[in-house]
Amino acid sequence: MNRLIAAGLMFGNLVEISSPALVERYNRALKHLTGKTTAMKDFHIDISGYSPEIGDELGDPLYLNPNGANRQFILLTTSQKTAPLLNMKFSTSRGILTQFIEKNEAQLFALTARDAVAGELQGSVYEVSTPARLLEMKQVTVEADTIGGHVADAEKLTGLIDRFRGEGDGWRDEALIGQMIELARKTGDVTRVPIALPAMTFQQPNFWTSHFGGIYVFQEARFPGVLSSQPRTALGAMPISPVMDLTQRNAIADWLERNGLVEPIVQARGLDAAAVLRQKMDFILVEAAEELGIDIADARRTELRKIAYRLGDSLPDEFLGLAALLRWVEGQGQWPRISSEHACYFYTLRGAPGPNRDLVNMLLAELSPMDVRQMFIVHKELFYAQYATWSDRKRQWVVDFLEREYKVDAQGAREALFGPEPSMDTRDRPHPKPARDMGQVLGPWGAVNRDG
């Protein structure tokens, strides 16, 4: 993985911790949460305060998430909100932490100026011994305080102040006044600078989890369902149906369509479908060359075209299907009839706009595994696992491509491929016009209307 790290494609955008004061605060928080400490004098942390260096030192990459269900976190600075989340067990965790930090940013800024803030993402279950238990995790509550208990002390002091003001002879109660003075030494004047960090609860009906080999849970879909990366029979009894695994292409395609969770890239508003199709075809050629042992070096599109000529009859069905669709997009061929049984089918889709867009794109990344760019953007856990299985020549090609074509404008590339970030209010979603009039055409994705 050193090549990815050097290119800033792994462990990128972590927060460096090197000042003795912050290291000491981190150790206090680490001791408080886990009973362990680090001997390291500088390290990097993600949004949850997890450090890959400390994970290596302790021999435990889950030292802040021991049961995999209720992630603990350490906040040393509010700048952690832009950092990634490593060793992700639930797809919702980073979004929850980001919202918690942004909602309480002023308070957290003040609190982390004096101490580390530690807390936990508390699910409604304490362990996930069976897949069925995952469906009980419908919400997550975030609770946090400084290691010194400033929030709890401020709440206690506020109560004592209210009592002092409410009692007619409160000024005579020396014990009460003494308690207030002692607490105020730690919290400051909470009447002028209130300290509050209330618990926040987030709904989690739809999510991906790495547990049990990878499971997608959709409990708040029009037609609920569970999709498993492993054989569905391994999940046992589940409280909702259908339960599908990734080999059931027709069932998954039908379920996605009935729920309105996907859209064909050739119909997506504002998307340069031809450019996306060409890039997907390049990725497929690289994989085909890899399997046949053909040297791809730093092949650009011209060299990849030569590889396609060499492959001839060995060109993958995924490539041929996308090539037929590209000819239609460019007005040089007939509309291809591509059913969900075709190898290229899921390469032709993206997540429909809405709150489940990113989750659906994660699923599509598993169903179209040769699209390494999509996999890297939306499903890094899968990307890193796949990367470990590639030859050195493919690793180098992919790293060079991501540095050249993605890293220079990551946000722009993401929006170009998948559209603007989902909005809870669909009225705020922009509606750019399609690049060309596609006519009234019927295909496996339904009709393409002239008015877009």
Side-chain angles (χ1 to χ4, degrees):
M1 299 293 182
N2 290 336
R3 188 182 283 117
L4 287 171
I5 297 171
L9 298 171
M10 186 177 189
F11 301 151
N13 207 29
L14 296 179
V15 177
E16 183 180 9
I17 304 300
S18 55
S19 79
L22 290 182
V23 171
E24 190 274 333
R25 288 178 190 174
Y26 188 90
N27 255 332
R28 290 182 63 227
L30 187 60
K31 180 73 172 179
H32 175 74
L33 292 176
T34 70
K36 304 173 183 177
T37 58
T38 177
M40 304 191 76
K41 302 304 181 184
D42 60 85
F43 47 89
H44 297 78
I45 59 174
D46 69 1
I47 187 174
S48 73
Y50 168 77
S51 167
E53 297 103 322
I54 294 175
D56 287 342
E57 177 193 24
L58 299 177
D60 182 8
L62 296 177
Y63 69 87
L64 285 182
N65 193 17
N67 60 11
N70 297 278
R71 191 170 190 129
Q72 298 170 310
F73 61 88
I74 299 171
L75 297 178
L76 298 180
T77 167
T78 54
S79 64
Q80 286 175 235
K81 70 178 182 179
T82 61
L85 178 65
L86 306 179
N87 297 327
M88 183 172 67
K89 290 295 184 180
F90 289 87
S91 60
T92 53
S93 296
R94 185 180 184 279
I96 288 172
L97 280 169
T98 301
Q99 291 180 68
F100 175 75
I101 295 172
E102 290 179 343
K103 182 73 173 179
N104 300 285
E105 190 154 8
Q107 289 284 358
L108 288 170
F109 183 83
L111 290 169
T112 54
R114 64 176 86 179
D115 200 355
V117 171
E120 183 177 358
L121 274 63
Q122 299 177 2
S124 49
V125 300
Y126 294 95
E127 49 80 25
V128 283
S129 55
T130 65
R133 299 224 67 189
L134 291 168
L135 275 71
E136 299 175 20
M137 302 186 68
K138 296 184 178 181
Q139 66 181 32
V140 174
T141 299
V142 184
E143 293 186 354
D145 197 350
T146 64
I147 302 307
H150 290 88
V151 176
D153 286 342
E155 184 177 346
K156 184 177 180 180
L157 177 57
T158 300
L160 293 178
I161 291 172
D162 290 342
R163 176 181 157 191
F164 176 81
R165 288 172 172 172
E167 294 180 359
D169 57 350
W171 60 274
R172 294 182 178 178
D173 191 334
E174 294 183 4
L176 174 61
I177 294 173
Q179 283 183 282
M180 292 167 59
I181 292 173
E182 186 63 29
L183 287 171
R185 287 196 180 106
K186 295 177 62 178
T187 66
D189 187 351
V190 296
T191 61
R192 293 187 178 183
V193 186
I195 297 176
L197 204 58
M200 296 180 66
T201 298
F202 300 85
Q203 300 304 309
Q204 181 181 263
N206 303 336
F207 58 88
W208 169 86
T209 176
S210 64
H211 290 284
F212 307 103
I215 297 176
Y216 298 83
V217 176
F218 290 84
Q219 298 179 89
E220 274 194 2
R222 188 183 312 163
F223 302 98
V226 173
L227 300 96
S228 171
S229 300
Q230 303 298 315
R232 67 186 190 280
T233 53
L235 300 186
M238 297 290 282
I240 64 174
S241 63
V243 177
M244 299 166 280
D245 61 50
L246 301 189
T247 64
Q248 298 177 273
R249 296 174 60 86
N250 292 341
I252 293 173
D254 177 66
W255 181 83
L256 288 170
E257 178 65 26
R258 286 189 296 126
N259 278 300
L261 292 173
V262 292
E263 63 180 5
I265 59 176
V266 297
Q267 290 179 233
R269 298 175 183 272
L271 179 68
D272 186 348
V276 173
L277 288 171
R278 286 195 188 91
Q279 195 62 73
K280 289 175 181 283
M281 291 164 65
D282 288 350
F283 297 143
I284 293 168
L285 280 177
V286 169
E287 177 63 22
E290 168 87 346
E291 291 184 0
L292 295 176
I294 299 174
D295 185 19
I296 56 176
D298 61 346
R300 303 293 177 97
R301 185 156 291 152
T302 302
E303 289 76 20
L304 288 173
R305 192 176 298 119
K306 294 176 183 177
I307 291 176
Y309 297 150
R310 289 181 60 185
L311 290 173
D313 294 341
S314 299
L315 282 167
D317 288 340
E318 292 91 341
F319 181 91
L320 297 173
L322 293 181
L325 190 57
L326 177 61
R327 287 193 294 272
W328 176 81
V329 168
E330 296 181 331
Q332 300 178 26
Q334 298 296 314
W335 173 257
R337 302 189 66 81
I338 300 173
S339 73
S340 57
E341 295 178 348
H342 197 290
C344 82
Y345 180 78
F346 291 108
Y347 288 86
T348 70
L349 304 175
R350 74 175 190 178
N356 294 310
R357 185 201 68 175
D358 292 346
L359 182 59
V360 173
N361 281 328
M362 285 185 72
L363 172 62
L364 292 175
E366 289 208 55
L367 293 164
S368 50
M370 286 185 278
D371 189 343
V372 293
R373 176 174 56 181
Q374 173 160 327
M375 188 187 300
F376 178 79
I377 296 173
V378 304
H379 204 331
K380 283 187 173 57
E381 287 70 23
L382 179 62
F383 175 87
Y384 295 140
Q386 291 294 314
Y387 180 91
T389 69
W390 297 338
S391 70
D392 189 69
R393 59 179 177 269
K394 181 174 179 180
R395 290 176 185 175
Q396 187 62 58
W397 187 91
V398 171
V399 168
D400 289 344
F401 170 83
L402 291 174
E403 276 195 291
R404 183 177 67 247
E405 304 289 343
Y406 171 72
K407 188 181 174 184
V408 291
D409 184 13
Q411 185 60 34
R414 187 183 183 95
E415 290 192 4
L417 289 170
F418 309 119
E421 288 301 307
S423 170
M424 295 305 293
D425 186 351
T426 57
R427 294 170 299 180
D428 295 336
R429 190 179 299 126
H431 293 283
K433 294 296 182 182
R436 60 173 285 224
D437 181 1
M438 298 181 184
Q440 189 75 20
V441 185
L442 290 176
W445 309 284
V448 183
N449 297 323
R450 291 187 181 276
D451 61 5

